[in-house]
Each structure stands twice: as structure tokens, then as C-alpha cells.
Amino acid sequence: MSALPMTLNMTAETETAKIARGLRERDMELVADLVERFQHRLVRYCYTSPGGESMRRTLAQRDLDSRAATGSQYNGRQRFDPWLYRDRAQSGNR
């Protein structure tokens, strides 16, 4: 029974390492994939920001652009999504 959680954990670590390496290398295909995977969640996360849907999408796009620019700082030791949302949470939803 303990083999399954270990396998799942190793798979997650492999994906985070791949993301970290791709961001360091500025792999635009990876960045496009991350945008596709996380943009809707980030828009929902920005939902508490003032303004309408258009403003939330603008904030989400700005956040994604900012995180892509600082992607080399992602070390791949933790899940990607908390790192993606970290600055917005620390800034009080800007």
C-alpha cells in the first residue's frame, strides 16, 4: 500500500522539476501550457479584486506575465500553483 503514495509523490516532484527547469530556460511552450492550465483559476482567484470580469482578466494576465518573467525563482520544491498565487496573496489582492 505504501508504494502508491510514493509513486504519486515522485510523479508530482518530477512535474514540478520540469516546470522549474522550463521556466529557468524560458520554454515558451511550457509557459503557454501553464497559462492554459492556470488562467481560469487565477481569474477566479482575482474575483475578490474590485472591478468587473474584464478587470479580473486583466489582473490575471498581469500576474501570469509577472510570474513568467520571474519564473527562474521557482525552485520546483513545492507545487507550482501556490507559488503562482503567492504574490497576490502577500499583497492583499492588490
Side-chain angles (χ1 to χ4, degrees), residues 35 38-68 84-85 87-89 91-94:
V35 167
F38 291 99
Q39 68 181 340
H40 300 294
R41 284 186 254 176
L42 191 55
V43 168
R44 283 194 309 261
Y45 190 71
C46 293
Y47 189 75
T48 58
S49 299
E53 183 71 18
S54 174
M55 177 57 80
R56 289 190 288 275
R57 289 190 183 281
T58 299
L59 289 172
Q61 184 61 53
R62 186 187 68 200
D63 287 357
L64 284 169
D65 291 346
S66 171
R67 298 314 264 164
L84 175 65
Y85 304 132
D87 284 348
R88 177 156 293 282
S91 67
N93 292 330
R94 288 185 234 179

